[in-house]
Amino acid sequence: MKHKDIIDQMTLEEKASLMSGKDFWQTMDIGRLGIKSIFLADGPHGIRKQAAAADHLGLNPSIPATSFPTAATVANSWNMKLGRKMGEYLGEEAIVQKVNVLLGPGINMKRNPLAGRNFEYFSEDPYLAGKMASSMIKGIQSQGISACVKHFAVNSQEERRMSIDTIVDERTLREIYLTAFEIVVKESQTKTLMSSYNLLNGTYTNENTHLMRDILRDEWNYDGVVVTDWGGSNDRVAGLKAGNELEMPTTAGETNKDIIQAVKSGKIKEQVLDENVDRLLELNFITEEAFEHPKKQFDMEGHHQLAQKVAEESIVLLKNEDNLLPLKKDKKVAVIGEFAREARYQGAGSSIVNPTKLENTLELLAESGINNIGFEQGFNRYGKKSQRKIDKACALAKDADVVLLYIGLDEVTEAEGLDRENIKLPENQIDLLNALYEINPNIVAILSSGAVVEMPWIDKVKGLVHGYLSGQAGAKAILRVLTGDINPSGKLAESYPLHYEDTPAHHYFPGKEVSVEHREGIFIGYRYYDTANVNVLFPFGYGLSYTTFAYSNIEVDQEGVTFNITNTGSRAGAEIAQLYVGTQSDLIFRPKKELKGFNKVYLQPGETKTITIPFDDKTFRYFNVKTNQWEIEEADYEIMIGASSADIQLNSTLFVEGSGAPLPYEKNKLPSYYSGKINNVSLEEFETLLERKVPDSRWDRSKPLGYNDTIAQCQYAKGGFARFAFKLIKFSHWFLRKIGKRSTANLIMMSVYHMPFRGMARMTGGMMNMPMLDGILMIVNGHFFKGAKHVLSERRQMLKAAKGNN
């Protein structure tokens, strides 16, 4: 241990006190030993340190900070150097605000486009997500503070996220859901990692010794701190055994008592507690060094300019019929759409940033050089239909040469805590587009959203520019792309299906009751579409430019692949070359191709550059469930260089020697996986893949409700009071949506409806303890008077104890 001398001076009570928060955002301090509190703050794309009352939901405003593009946006840049620079600036701002641990980035896989938090995650591909996140973390930690990568692991849905059991086979777990975390832990040495809310194969992730000890600590040699997601602790002692040092937020000392009792009774060795304390002290002391000579301010304008640069490199040009873009100077342009007046530039929930400045499209039009003839709102932001707004927009469009139509998803459609209902744009926006098309077909749509949308309307726009959620400087970045000041170079970090029903997990998402089954296995995103030959609207890695590129002269050896790229157009531009690898053997089921490297190269007109993408330890590997380790299959491998996953420009073949492992599967028992057509995997076949029985995914309505059941399950409660409370919650949600208070309605779903009962104690900062919760559960389960008496009695005891401690 690094801090044995300090730990030896601590009492058991002091050690236990360090294992949970002091308040909502700070760790506990021990003044007599010089141990200070450290501050943790949300910050996937900007610092969210609240000046007033703290909350985890983004309700109260935070201190102004640069709102950079979100991870879903940054991933489209495929630029690791730029990601690192953004991380450096995030770290610098964290120091100014005295934040020790920045809670981000998030690197969960985009298993399904409905997942409500996709805007916070990088990609459907673990290699791209891991590499981009790793560069950002290196930047953040270069400033002396800690990043906190999240959410570990397989947190693929928001609905019932605090109690859902994720059922996934070991190979899929390793290859898809853990690879990005492995890259981050090994390459960027992240100092902090956040466990997810969900269970993984029957055990809460922060208590899961296979995940936390076998893989994270022993296999990856991670020696940093694991912190729970806020309110994400179930059994504190079990979490401690697994190596989960820090529980957040505070429980007012309640779980400290659990730890003390466990040590005294021999349930857990004090040495285990000491190891957890040691790692937390290391994080404390290392990050505190960053504040010895703290900066009092940062260059707001310089950081704003970087936010603009990141946005510019992340914007994706998806369609440019008749070369309508860049806009010609003499063209009369009508600007239509609510998002031009008030940008949709970031997500919602715990990642909301209070920007240092926020650029506005309408205010920037004059300086952009666009010949703007006027603006019309066109539609209501939150979906209410208005023919009057459509008519006014059409009247303006009639006099224009080109229509710039700003459309997208609103803040309450994509939000933490709940999943999307569909992947469509709101109907009122589609109605507007249809009407405009009849008046003026020269439409350029500017799309703002943090995740995939269906586009049955794609034929009614000649241009499509996707800005994703481009941060506080996104408005100017988009205008610079539209005018040609910037040549777009972003490429999609996720596939865009033609229809939601085409997505691989749509039969298995979300889990509605006890569990969610990942029956699609390794076939998510382009791994599925390419293998099963399913057509998509826009493939993974796709993006257009105002210039053209030619690929040539591929050479492959055991070290990597080398090739040339030439800018064959008339403009300077950047191309993202992508390395895909596919095995030509069918002995082990594999995707047709997998991303194994990429390189973004900048070229002047007529310029040629030679690019080398080296192979690494992940290029040819697969996880073998028989040997329980990574293996290499001996085979010929196709080496592909593509402009996207569907646009392979160059290919070659390389023979690779194998590791001699036994075959992990019997081919005849897994026909869906060997064909890649995994839309209707049977229970029997999934159990064969899992090598165990699948647990019942339905609630057992005969049992009394307990700590880990959700408030939503009160609909089945024996207690009439609980059933009435459930109906009241449902009515409140319906009524708030009806009167347009959708943000508040969402809050009910996130913080009440899907909250497990234990959250009442874990998320209230000590206002309620577990004994009081026992009384509430008595009420829920039909013992109203006994339960009410118990709650009041325990409340009196808690207040008496608190008064005695003071």
Side-chain angles (χ1 to χ4, degrees):
M1 292 192 297
K2 295 180 180 179
H3 305 286
K4 188 175 185 303
D5 56 332
I6 298 175
I7 293 171
D8 285 347
Q9 299 176 57
M10 290 183 187
T11 64
L12 175 59
E13 288 72 17
E14 285 174 329
K15 294 175 186 177
S17 74
L18 292 175
M19 298 292 95
S20 62
K22 178 180 181 179
D23 54 29
F24 211 87
W25 296 112
Q26 294 185 91
T27 64
M28 186 60 70
D29 59 306
I30 301 177
R32 73 178 187 87
L33 296 174
I35 300 169
K36 301 178 181 178
S37 294
I38 63 174
F39 198 99
L40 301 89
D42 284 313
H45 64 274
I47 317 299
R48 191 179 78 91
K49 184 177 181 182
Q50 290 165 307
D55 69 78
H56 189 51
L57 306 174
L59 300 180
N60 296 316
S62 55
I63 299 167
T66 308
S67 179
F68 289 97
T70 68
T73 314
V74 178
N76 295 332
S77 76
W78 299 61
N79 188 332
M80 290 189 287
K81 289 182 180 178
L82 193 61
R84 176 168 181 139
K85 178 59 70 174
M86 176 175 154
E88 289 173 7
Y89 280 25
L90 284 168
E92 187 180 331
E93 293 190 29
I95 290 174
V96 170
Q97 294 198 26
K98 295 185 179 178
V99 170
N100 302 69
V101 179
L102 201 53
L103 300 174
I107 59 173
N108 293 98
M109 288 298 97
K110 297 186 180 185
R111 178 196 180 211
N112 186 289
L114 290 179
R117 216 165 174 178
N118 278 350
F119 63 85
E120 275 191 61
Y121 301 141
F122 287 93
S123 180
E124 68 187 33
D125 181 83
Y127 191 88
L128 177 59
K131 290 292 184 178
M132 290 300 297
S134 186
S135 64
M136 190 178 292
I137 290 166
K138 287 175 183 176
I140 291 169
Q141 297 192 162
S142 71
Q143 303 303 300
I145 65 154
S146 171
C148 178
V149 67
K150 59 186 186 180
H151 306 87
F152 192 64
V154 207
N155 184 182
S156 302
Q157 69 177 64
E158 290 298 286
E159 184 170 333
R160 302 195 74 249
R161 61 179 176 166
M162 294 184 75
S163 56
I164 198 76
D165 186 4
T166 302
I167 310 300
V168 58
D169 68 283
E170 186 71 11
R171 182 180 171 197
T172 299
L173 176 67
R174 297 301 197 97
E175 292 188 14
I176 302 299
Y177 296 101
L178 295 188
T179 291
F181 286 100
E182 179 188 359
I183 291 171
V184 161
V185 167
K186 291 182 176 179
E187 295 186 10
S188 66
Q189 286 83 49
T190 182
K191 295 184 178 75
T192 313
L193 178 147
M194 183 186 291
S195 57
S196 57
Y197 284 125
N198 54 285
L199 296 90
L200 175 61
N201 294 324
T203 306
Y204 279 97
T205 57
N206 76 309
E207 302 168 12
N208 193 310
T209 54
H210 176 56
L211 185 66
M212 291 293 176
R213 286 212 175 268
D214 299 346
I215 298 173
L216 180 65
R217 301 288 187 189
D218 297 341
E219 186 178 321
W220 298 350
N221 297 314
Y222 179 68
D223 62 357
V225 166
V226 175
V227 57
T228 67
D229 203 339
W230 266 235
S233 176
N234 170 51
D235 182 325
R236 187 65 193 101
V237 174
L240 201 66
K241 284 181 178 179
N244 175 193
E245 289 82 4
L246 182 59
E247 175 190 20
M248 291 298 286
T250 182
T251 59
E254 183 177 15
T255 55
N256 301 350
K257 296 173 185 175
D258 297 338
I259 294 170
I260 292 165
Q261 182 58 38
V263 172
K264 287 182 176 179
S265 68
K267 187 177 180 180
I268 187 172
K269 293 180 179 178
E270 190 164 357
Q271 181 184 350
V272 172
L273 174 59
D274 290 351
E275 289 169 358
N276 282 273
V277 170
D278 189 61
R279 288 191 292 262
L280 189 61
L281 289 178
E282 178 69 3
L283 175 68
N284 188 311
F285 295 146
I286 285 177
T287 57
E288 276 298 305
E289 290 175 6
F291 303 107
E292 289 180 359
H293 305 287
K295 295 181 180 180
K296 293 186 178 180
Q297 59 185 17
F298 61 91
D299 179 1
M300 286 191 182
E301 186 56 35
H303 286 214
H304 181 80
Q305 291 302 317
L306 182 71
Q308 179 182 315
K309 170 70 173 170
V310 175
E312 288 170 353
E313 289 219 16
S314 304
I315 291 166
V316 187
L317 178 62
L318 292 173
K319 186 176 182 181
N320 193 17
E321 188 179 319
D322 299 334
N323 291 318
L324 194 58
L325 296 175
L327 294 169
K328 312 298 186 292
K329 297 285 186 183
D330 61 337
K331 297 295 183 181
K332 293 185 295 183
V333 175
V335 178
I336 296 172
E338 164 66 13
F339 293 109
R341 184 174 67 179
E342 186 179 342
R344 170 83 201 289
Y345 65 96
Q346 65 174 332
S350 64
S351 67
I352 289 178
V353 178
N354 183 13
T356 55
K357 63 187 286 189
L358 182 58
E359 293 190 326
N360 180 278
T361 298
L362 300 182
E363 294 171 0
L364 293 169
L365 282 170
E367 69 178 69
S368 72
I370 292 174
N371 181 15
N372 176 37
I373 64 168
F375 164 76
E376 285 295 340
Q377 182 182 350
F379 61 87
N380 290 305
R381 192 179 195 88
Y382 298 112
K384 185 178 180 181
K385 294 193 176 187
S386 170
Q387 188 60 45
R388 180 173 171 272
K389 285 183 169 59
I390 290 176
D391 292 343
K392 291 178 73 174
C394 288
L396 178 65
K398 191 178 296 184
D399 297 326
D401 297 315
V402 178
V403 174
L404 295 183
L405 178 61
Y406 282 76
I407 54 178
L409 300 179
D410 60 61
E411 294 81 355
V412 295
T413 298
E414 297 181 282
E416 178 182 352
L418 67 157
D419 299 312
R420 293 161 64 193
E421 295 176 2
N422 56 59
I423 62 169
K424 304 175 187 293
L425 282 181
E427 278 189 26
N428 64 339
Q429 296 184 35
I430 306 301
D431 292 344
L432 171 64
L433 174 56
N434 289 335
L436 288 172
Y437 179 74
E438 297 299 323
I439 300 297
N440 188 337
N442 292 322
I443 300 171
V444 175
I446 296 92
L447 183 62
S448 298
S449 69
V452 165
V453 294
E454 285 180 359
M455 301 183 193
W457 42 264
I458 189 71
D459 291 336
K460 294 185 178 178
V461 299
K462 286 190 175 180
L464 179 57
V465 174
H466 201 338
Y468 268 73
L469 301 179
S470 51
Q472 66 181 52
K476 188 169 187 178
I478 288 169
L479 287 173
R480 280 167 58 81
V481 166
L482 293 172
T483 60
D485 290 343
I486 293 294
N487 190 350
S489 62
K491 294 201 174 189
L492 294 175
E494 57 189 329
S495 308
Y496 274 57
L498 288 165
H499 312 284
Y500 174 67
E501 290 74 22
D502 296 333
T503 60
H506 86 274
H507 280 308
Y508 322 123
F509 181 96
K512 285 288 185 182
E513 295 192 1
V514 173
S515 63
V516 55
E517 297 166 9
H518 285 49
R519 293 197 191 188
E520 73 279 2
I522 61 174
F523 295 101
I524 75 166
Y526 72 90
R527 284 170 167 78
Y528 165 68
Y529 299 122
D530 289 356
T531 305
N533 295 316
V534 175
N535 290 331
V536 296
L537 179 62
F538 296 116
F540 175 81
Y542 175 86
L544 300 174
S545 170
Y546 294 150
T547 190
T548 53
F549 301 95
Y551 292 69
S552 61
N553 300 335
I554 186 171
E555 295 181 8
V556 177
D557 59 26
Q558 297 294 329
E559 302 301 316
V561 56
T562 300
F563 54 95
N564 291 341
I565 298 182
T566 302
N567 183 341
T568 54
S570 59
R571 289 174 174 264
E575 172 70 337
I576 299 163
Q578 302 154 43
L579 165 64
Y580 295 92
V581 174
T583 180
Q584 296 185 351
S585 165
D586 62 356
L587 295 177
I588 303 167
F589 67 82
R590 308 278 281 270
K592 186 175 182 179
K593 64 174 78 76
E594 296 179 277
L595 182 75
K596 298 295 181 180
F598 55 91
N599 194 317
K600 189 167 190 175
V601 56
Y602 299 83
L603 296 162
Q604 295 298 317
E607 183 180 10
T608 299
K609 284 186 179 179
T610 300
I611 308 300
T612 297
I613 301 179
F615 300 148
D616 61 22
D617 63 332
K618 297 168 186 65
T619 304
F620 303 107
R621 74 179 191 176
Y622 75 97
F623 193 83
N624 188 302
V625 293
K626 278 194 175 178
T627 64
N628 196 38
Q629 62 185 22
W630 295 100
E631 304 285 1
I632 294 176
E633 181 184 3
E634 185 167 296
D636 289 321
Y637 288 82
E638 187 175 6
I639 309 300
M640 296 163 271
I641 298 298
S644 76
S645 65
D647 184 12
I648 302 303
Q649 296 282 319
L650 303 169
N651 56 46
S652 184
T653 303
L654 179 71
F655 175 76
V656 178
E657 291 185 2
S659 53
L663 293 176
Y665 307 114
E666 294 181 48
K667 187 174 181 179
N668 64 317
K669 293 184 177 181
L670 297 169
S672 300
Y673 298 101
Y674 274 87
S675 69
K677 297 176 180 178
I678 43 69
N679 263 315
N680 288 291
V681 177
S682 69
L683 177 63
E684 181 183 12
E685 188 175 354
F686 185 49
E687 289 182 336
T688 300
L689 183 71
L690 281 175
E691 298 184 313
R692 64 180 184 277
K693 288 289 184 182
V694 174
D696 192 339
S697 64
R698 297 165 298 178
W699 289 320
D700 184 348
R701 288 151 172 73
S702 66
K703 291 183 178 180
L705 298 182
Y707 295 143
N708 291 318
D709 292 308
T710 64
I711 309 298
Q713 287 169 261
C714 283
Q715 61 188 297
Y716 308 117
K718 292 180 180 178
F721 182 82
R723 294 195 301 275
F724 174 76
F726 170 78
K727 289 178 181 177
L728 188 62
I729 292 167
K730 285 281 287 184
F731 174 78
S732 299
H733 178 260
W734 171 84
F735 181 73
L736 287 165
R737 284 182 65 91
K738 188 75 173 176
I739 64 173
K741 301 286 186 181
R742 289 174 59 194
S743 293
T744 309
N746 286 351
L747 192 61
I748 287 176
M749 294 300 287
M750 176 169 61
S751 60
V752 181
Y753 192 83
H754 292 308
M755 177 76 73
F757 283 99
R758 64 178 162 81
M760 293 183 181
R762 296 291 186 246
M763 289 288 280
T764 54
M767 291 175 61
M768 178 183 291
N769 60 19
M770 295 301 279
M772 287 173 64
L773 182 58
D774 290 336
I776 289 175
L777 285 171
M778 290 178 195
I779 295 171
V780 167
N781 289 311
H783 305 286
F784 181 86
F785 294 107
K786 181 180 178 182
K789 183 179 178 181
H790 188 87
V791 170
L792 293 173
S793 173
E794 292 295 340
R795 175 72 176 167
R796 283 194 297 269
Q797 288 187 43
M798 185 179 74
L799 292 175
K800 184 178 179 181
K803 190 175 181 180
N805 291 333
N806 291 330

